[in-house]
Amino acid sequence: MTVLTGSRSGARVERLPLARYTTLGVGGEAEVWFVENHAQLAEAMEQPYRVLGGGSNLVIADEGVPERVIRLAGPLAERDLEPDAALSTPDEVVTGWVGGGVPLPGLIRQLQRLGLSGLEGTVGIPAQVGGAVWMNAGTRYGEMFDGLHTIEIATPQGVRQVTPADLHWGYRDSGIPRGHVVTRVRLKLRRAAPDEVLARMDFADHARRGQPKMKTPGCAFKNPGGVSAGKLIDEAGLKGTRVGNALIAPEHANFIVNLGGATAADVHALLDVIRARVTVPMELEYELWPDRGPA
Ligand code: FAD
Ligand code: EPU
């Protein structure tokens, strides 16, 4: 680990292996900027950059990436769930600001305990709030845009606040351009009995029982037209296909898992096998760093 100096705004800058920041456990080094406020973020955005959330949708090259990698930290990874008195009603709560760097799983558990309903369908998604909002992560039991009131977005041109109605969002898509950083959000939730929220969380979680438990970035392809991409890959007979130390999971064919020591090249090769064998066009859900054109 090398601590780099030279940030005017006081951001911590280190050269780090990105593998440790991804759920796949693959990826070489990059210059990581840990930004705690808007001034630090603005400085980080002065040069080409990428934004790293929970690293749960990323396949990062073994050579790493040349751009700065921005990670939200400090106050941008903290939450204020106090109801805003001016905006909340007896049935509905608008919270204070929740940082884009807050881990989603802990937030979902906390909302359940507080009896705040709306986001429990996203249980089990190992993202950060900013990454989950950027992708509109979700399951068939709910998605991030079910519980958003305001989204704060930073770009090199400045910071602005938008509401879901301002964006063209949909399945796995927030409509927020790549590189625009979701710094904070305010949540809009319904008051409910904690037991009721827990029951809905358990129900959504149950749908994951067939998903593999190994190192993975989740589903490789988006579901085309609502059809399960996993089912299509399965029907193409590809479950259990292995390249190097990466494997198409026998439990669910849309998951690629790292058996230990997999490389990004192994994963790319499996993605190419899937594209060659499944005839229905499918859009990649994984994000490849650096970007890689079609094979
Ligand atoms: P990262 O993987 O770090 O980044 C993904 C993209 O988001 C990148 O383009 C990155 O630049 C951008 N990004 C990250 N943070 C920000 C930010 N603050 N502002 C702007 N852009 C940002 N997804 C689902 O939708 N549903 C599921 O059920 C689901 N289950 C999963 C289960 C497992 C076991 C795993 C490993 C993954 C699963 N995923 C699922 C995929 C993944 O969790 C989602 O795609 C999630 O939205 C990625 O968020 P992240 O914070 O990890 O982002
Ligand atoms: N199926 C197969 N073979 C497989 C996989 C699935 O036949 O290998 C069948 C199942 O038997 C079931 C149907 O396909 O009948 C749907 O499967 P599943 O319930 O697993 O849902 P999915 O559509 O494959 C989606 C999301 C998951 C999310 C689950 C649960 C996408 C791309 N995937 O999977 O999200 O967790 O629903 O809601 O939308 C992710 O996006 O990374 C992700 C994991």
Side-chain angles (χ1 to χ4, degrees):
M1 181 187 84
T2 319
V3 179
L4 307 167
T5 50
S7 154
R8 301 187 307 276
S9 56
R12 184 160 62 89
V13 184
E14 292 180 30
R15 205 163 171 81
L16 291 169
L18 296 178
R20 84 163 70 138
Y21 291 95
T22 68
T23 54
L24 176 64
V26 168
E29 285 189 353
E31 185 178 297
V32 183
W33 284 60
F34 295 90
V35 303
E36 299 195 0
N37 54 48
H38 287 92
Q40 293 180 0
L41 181 57
E43 187 192 353
M45 288 193 291
E46 286 172 3
Q47 300 286 328
Y49 63 88
R50 292 172 183 274
V51 193
L52 174 68
S56 62
N57 197 39
L58 297 179
V59 181
I60 301 178
D62 307 304
E63 302 75 43
V65 288
E67 298 87 4
R68 292 174 171 178
V69 169
I70 295 174
R71 186 136 157 128
L72 303 178
L76 294 177
E78 288 170 6
R79 70 201 82 177
D80 168 13
L81 298 177
E82 275 303 307
D84 183 308
L87 296 172
S88 301
T89 65
D91 297 330
E92 197 172 76
V93 163
V94 175
T95 67
W97 289 104
V98 176
V102 168
L104 184 63
L107 175 68
I108 297 303
R109 283 194 299 274
Q110 194 178 358
L111 294 177
Q112 181 273 319
R113 287 193 299 269
L114 292 169
L116 294 175
S117 173
L119 287 178
E120 59 273 15
T122 67
V123 63
I125 301 179
Q128 288 186 351
V129 167
V133 169
W134 186 78
M135 284 277 300
N136 188 20
T139 67
R140 73 179 75 86
Y141 306 105
E143 56 193 352
M144 290 306 291
F145 273 66
D146 292 338
L148 298 179
H149 179 270
T150 314
I151 306 163
E152 184 186 79
I153 299 171
T155 72
Q157 287 71 46
V159 180
R160 70 182 200 284
Q161 290 177 10
V162 299
T163 68
D166 300 321
L167 299 167
H168 296 287
W169 55 274
Y171 165 68
R172 300 289 192 275
D173 183 11
S174 65
I176 300 169
R178 185 176 303 278
H180 289 200
V181 185
V182 176
T183 38
R184 304 185 299 175
V185 296
R186 299 180 86 160
L187 305 176
K188 189 168 87 176
L189 303 158
R190 292 181 308 282
R191 290 187 204 272
D195 282 355
E196 232 177 80
V197 186
L198 185 61
R200 278 198 291 272
M201 248 167 93
D202 286 347
F203 194 73
D205 207 26
H206 193 63
R208 293 183 178 278
R209 69 196 179 286
Q211 298 182 357
K213 305 287 175 265
M214 302 181 75
K215 287 183 173 181
T216 174
C219 282
F221 292 91
K222 297 184 184 181
N223 285 346
V227 179
S228 167
K231 189 164 188 287
L232 296 173
I233 302 166
D234 187 5
E235 284 169 357
L238 293 174
K239 267 187 181 171
T241 307
R242 178 174 176 172
V243 173
N245 288 314
L247 178 78
I248 298 178
E251 300 93 334
H252 191 300
N254 202 12
F255 282 72
I256 293 178
V257 298
N258 178 359
L259 295 169
T263 63
D266 295 339
V267 177
H268 293 162
L270 280 180
L271 294 173
D272 289 343
V273 169
I274 295 170
R275 288 190 188 102
R277 289 278 291 277
V278 176
T279 48
V280 178
M282 298 188 299
E283 190 190 337
L284 195 64
E285 180 169 317
Y286 289 170
E287 182 151 328
L288 313 180
W289 285 8
D291 314 317
R292 185 171 175 265

